[in-house]
Each structure stands twice: as structure tokens, then as C-alpha cells.
């Protein structure tokens, strides 16, 4: 599977918007696939081939799950009326309507609770934050495997966190049982080739990677450099030239930017997650 | 990339411990890689090739991250003394000591907060549960990409959730800044070939996959069948023959099984996560 140095250089350059900081190790087609990920927000309305959903779910279920508890589920939404209602929750993101398959990933304690009820057993761990976190993380690991599987089959994807703008409304739309929660959605489909973004550069590795103890670099020049890289990216791919730091501050400095997600604790309580 | 039907049949049979329920769609080597995942708890002490860490982190950073906020970090622990102290937090799991690379994945709001401080801006979103959840999920998406990259390079992995038994102790060991939290660890190394488990079967797809609205099958026979599959798996791979339901009930019915994680809320408050 080892391929030429040129392939890894190209992939690293696209992902970091700069020459790779040092020679990389072995390279293969899976690393190429992972590094060329792009979140796509414009889809053709072509359906996926028969059997695709089964393959994506098998990949998802192959991800690790804490103690094999499997406290997640997924709803495959193809119905246009339901997609339209979910898109309304997510601030009208049109790609939810365009894509042929919209997967809603659930933290789902309801299945194990129901099985315990049948046996007359009470699951004392259910109300704890830990159990909610495990279910949400396991849903994320599963979804990411589905993303990799989808991209390997030539499909594109984008996560939709905005379902959390109103989790109880999503539960109504999808008829979710108590103790389940839509962590995020995922559009799956064929990318519109006329609206394909570039690979988005990320922070240099030394900004996110520590060795042995926390030693992340926070030197000003690292972030100034990345700000320039991202300003160039946004000028090429979007309508405005914006730096990364300005994006972060715009997104995180005002509670209003949470678009309802500041009430997540209350919504989760309504859905049966006490988060003790 | 499309391969023979035999390959997909074998992969599906191993993953579900039963013949695949219906013909699958296109198949390729990435799906094969994803489906043959196994969590490995016994490692050789051979080091990884030079450059491996850089490739794993590039794969991790290529995963989607909400609004490109990149609120996660990773600590690559190779020092034996530090691994030993982390293993002690995680109930003494010996594979943490055996593996040449132990990655600790952090939900990390400290970087963005520090950048905002430099600009004299306050990030109002920081204390919210939503922001913590985004950081934890993005750490999980990144880690799962690293797992896929590792397995593509011939390494094995296992997630270590037991770091959450004592998150403040982990923060001490790794010298973590305020507003960062070790979500889980990940052992990376070469599997001991004498202790390689089989692929662990998962629940049938109809138990976790709904169509359009929540309609997961909870028929008794599905879970009885899976209980038998898992009892056979545990008899082959472990010392005891145990059904899946008995495992779930044993794990979730008593708070004591949370091994300290019932105090996660308090620990997070100490680490700077108010979870408002």
C-alpha cells in the first residue's frame, strides 16, 4: 500500500495550506482518502446505489463501542417531508433537502433500558452524565466510520450540528423514544461538482499535538500564519476574506450564536437525560 | 476498488456473527479495513516507524470539526513513568504500559480562550454544555480517523475510557491547562499475534437502524440470537461464556460499576467546565 512521496506531500500541503513541516512516514491510499476529506454543502439529487446504506451501517457498527454497550442508533431519513422539517430546525440548511440520504445519529439508552425492563432490572447508571457522554461519543465514532465508508464509495458528507438547536422538536419529528437524543445529522450524497470546496487547511500540528505532557505551541506567529492561510481559503471558497481567529471569536463570543443550544441542558432533561 | 462478493460476505459474516441479511452494494478495500476492526489489549513493545505519529495526527485533523473551531488537542505519551501513572488511573490496564504510543484525546477550550484573552475578548459560549459536547465529539471524530489511519498502517488500537475514572488526576499527570479534559486514551502499537481476538459481532442492523422515523426492532428473538452469538464469542475469546444482555446489565445496573465516573460532573467543574 506504500505509495510515492509525491502523494503524501500533496495531501499534507492541501491539509495544512503549507509545505509539510517534516518528512512523513509510510503512506497509503487510506491516508490519502482521510486527508482529502471535505465537508460538502451542495448535492446532486441522484440516489445512492442499492445496498449503500447497509454498507455504511456495517462500517458504523464496526467502530469501537464502550464495553460493547452499543448505546447508539441511527435514523435514515429519505422522506422529503421529514427532511424538510429537520432542515427547518437546522436554520434551513438546503443541503439537507438536496441529499438523498440524511442520517440522524442518536445517543440511545432506550434499547438497553427496555431490555432491562423486560428482565425486571433497573439500570442505575442511566441518569449519569458519564453514560450520556459514552452514548454520544460512541455515536460519533460510528458516524465517522460511516463518513470514511461513504467517501471511499465516492459519496460526500457534511455533519449537521444544528439539529441541536431544538432537540425536542427533532425527537417529535422522528418519533424518538425517551432516553434517546439526536446528537447530529449527516448529509450523504453525490457532491455537486460545480460547488466542490477545496480541502480546508487546519492548524499546524504543533498547535494541537503535545509530547508526554501538555506543551501545545501558542506562539503568535503560528496563529498569524494560519489566519493568513484561512483568509486566503475563504477568499477562494466563500464570499468574504475572513481570518480564522475572527471566525472563532464571532462564533464563540456571544451566547446568541449558540442559536438555542444554550438551552441544551433543559432539552436533554425533557428527553430523559438527567446528567447527574 | 470494487472487489468480489466473497470479500464482503466474509466481512459481514465476521461482523454480525451470522450470514449477511441481504446482498450488499459496492465493496472495496476501505470497507474491508473498517469491518475488520478489532480492539487489541496485548501489544509487542516494538516502536512505530518514524513519521507514524505525524501521519496519524494529519488524519485526525482531517476529520470534520464544528465550525472549524478545532477545540480538541492530543497528547502523545511515550514516557514510561507517565504511562504507568495513567495506567494506574485506568484500573491498571497493562496494555497502556505495553503499547509504544498512548494518545490522550482532549476536549480543549483553552487554546481558543487564550487567543481571545490576547485580543481582550470574552468567549461567552465557553461555560455551556453545548460547547463541551462539541469539543468532546470533535475529539472523538479526530480519534476515530487516527484509528483508521493506524489500522491502515498495520497498527492496532484500543480506546481507554477508564481515564475518566479520575479526570483531575489525569490533568495533573499531563499538566493540562484549565478548560481541557481527557475524554479518553488510545493505545497504538503492533498487536501481539498470540493474543489477537476475533472480530466482535455486533447487534443486527435492524436493532440499531430506523427508516424515516424511529422503528428499531426490539423483538425478543433478535436479542436472544445475539446473546447466543456473543456467548459463543466470549467462550472462544475469553474465559467465560457470557451473553450480551448479562454483560450490559452487569455494566449498567450498579453505580459502583461506573468506577468513579459517577462523579464526572464534579470533576469537570474542577477542570473549568461549568456545563451550564
Amino acid at each position: 500500500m506504500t505509495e510515492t512521496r509525491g502523494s503524501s506531500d500533496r495531501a499534507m500541503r492541501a491539509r495544512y495550506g503549507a509545505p509539510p513541516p517534516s518528512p512523513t512516514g509510510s503512506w497509503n491510499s487510506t491516508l490519502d482518502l482521510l486527508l482529502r476529506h471535505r465537508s460538502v454543502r451542495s448535492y446532486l439529487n441522484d440516489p445512492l446505489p442499492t445496498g449503500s446504506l447497509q454498507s455504511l451501517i456495517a462500517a458504523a457498527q464496526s467502530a469501537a463501542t464502550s464495553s460493547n454497550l452499543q448505546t447508539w442508533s441511527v435514523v435514515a431519513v429519505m422522506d422529503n417531508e421529514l427532511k424538510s422539517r429537520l432542515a427547518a430546525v437546522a436554520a434551513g440548511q438546503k443541503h439537507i433537502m438536496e441529499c438523498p440520504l440524511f442520517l440522524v445519529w442518536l445517543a440511545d439508552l432506550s434499547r438497553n433500558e427496555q431490555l432491562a425492563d423486560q428482565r425486571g432490572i433497573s439500570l442505575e447508571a442511566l441518569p449519569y452524565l458519564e453514560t450520556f457522554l459514552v452514548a454520544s461519543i460512541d455515536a460519533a465514532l460510528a458516524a465517522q466510520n460511516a463518513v470514511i465508508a461513504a467517501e471511499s464509495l465516492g459519496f460526500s458528507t457534511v455533519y449537521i450540528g444544528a439539529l441541536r438547536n431544538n432537540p425536542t422538536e427533532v425527537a417529535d419529528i422522528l418519533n424518538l423514544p425517551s432516553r434517546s437524543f439526536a446528537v447530529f445529522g449527516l448529509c450523504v450524497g453525490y457532491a455537486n461538482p460545480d460547488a466542490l470546496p477545496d480541502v480546508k487547511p487546519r492548524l499546524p500540528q504543533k498547535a494541537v499535538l503535545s509530547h508526554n505532557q501538555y506543551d501545545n505551541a501558542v506562539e503568535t506567529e503560528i496563529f498569524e500564519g494560519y489566519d493568513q492561510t484561512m483568509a486566503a481559503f475563504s477568499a477562494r471558497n466563500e464570499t468574504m476574506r475572513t481570518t480564522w481567529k475572527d471566525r472563532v471569536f464571532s462564533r464563540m463570543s456571544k451566547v446568541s450564536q449558540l442559536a438555542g443550544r444554550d438551552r441544551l441542558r433543559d432539552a436533554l432533561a425533557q428527553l430523559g437525560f438527567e446528567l447527574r
Side-chain angles (χ1 to χ4, degrees), chain A residues 130-142:
Chain A
E130 161 69 14
T131 307
F132 167 78
L133 187 61
V134 161
S136 298
I137 288 171
D138 284 0
L141 301 181

Side-chain angles (χ1 to χ4, degrees), chain A residues 49-61 101 153:
Chain A
T50 305
S52 301
L53 178 60
Q54 187 188 23
S55 298
L56 299 184
I57 302 309
Q61 289 190 269
L101 174 64
L153 290 165

Side-chain angles (χ1 to χ4, degrees), chain A residues 135-165:
Chain A
S136 298
I137 288 171
D138 284 0
L141 301 181
Q144 186 59 18
N145 260 20
V147 164
I148 303 311
E151 294 183 350
S152 81
L153 290 165
F155 316 146
S156 290
T157 63
V158 62
Y159 283 102
I160 305 295
L163 291 187
R164 294 192 303 274
N165 291 358

Side-chain angles (χ1 to χ4, degrees), chain A residues 53-155:
Chain A
L53 178 60
Q54 187 188 23
S55 298
L56 299 184
I57 302 309
Q61 289 190 269
S62 299
T65 158
S66 183
S67 302
N68 201 28
L69 295 176
Q70 304 181 64
T71 48
W72 63 270
S73 292
V74 58
V75 185
V77 183
M78 283 161 281
D79 178 85
N80 281 329
E81 165 70 16
L82 292 169
K83 285 202 294 179
S84 168
R85 294 176 63 194
L86 292 168
V89 171
Q93 293 181 58
K94 67 171 180 45
H95 30 282
I96 298 173
M97 292 302 304
E98 287 173 356
C99 69
L101 174 64
F102 186 60
L103 295 174
V104 181
W105 299 85
L106 311 178
D108 187 0
L109 306 179
S110 75
R111 179 170 49 243
N112 289 4
E113 184 182 34
Q114 191 169 339
L115 294 169
D117 284 349
Q118 291 171 1
R119 189 78 71 88
I121 290 171
S122 156
L123 299 184
E124 291 181 1
L126 286 182
Y128 286 86
L129 173 62
E130 161 69 14
T131 307
F132 167 78
L133 187 61
V134 161
S136 298
I137 288 171
D138 284 0
L141 301 181
Q144 186 59 18
N145 260 20
V147 164
I148 303 311
E151 294 183 350
S152 81
L153 290 165
F155 316 146

Side-chain angles (χ1 to χ4, degrees), chain A residues 147-222:
Chain A
V147 164
I148 303 311
E151 294 183 350
S152 81
L153 290 165
F155 316 146
S156 290
T157 63
V158 62
Y159 283 102
I160 305 295
L163 291 187
R164 294 192 303 274
N165 291 358
N166 195 339
T168 53
E169 172 72 9
V170 172
D172 283 346
I173 295 168
L174 299 180
N175 198 27
L176 301 186
S178 177
R179 299 204 204 267
S180 66
F181 159 61
V183 188
F184 45 71
L186 183 75
C187 296
V188 185
Y190 291 105
N192 175 355
D194 299 333
L196 206 56
D198 295 340
V199 168
K200 187 177 286 184
R202 298 285 192 234
L203 284 165
Q205 292 202 355
K206 57 185 163 183
V208 305
L209 171 64
S210 293
H211 296 82
N212 286 316
Q213 289 189 310
Y214 196 93
D215 62 1
N216 284 10
V218 287
E219 289 96 8
T220 305
E221 57 266 36
I222 291 177

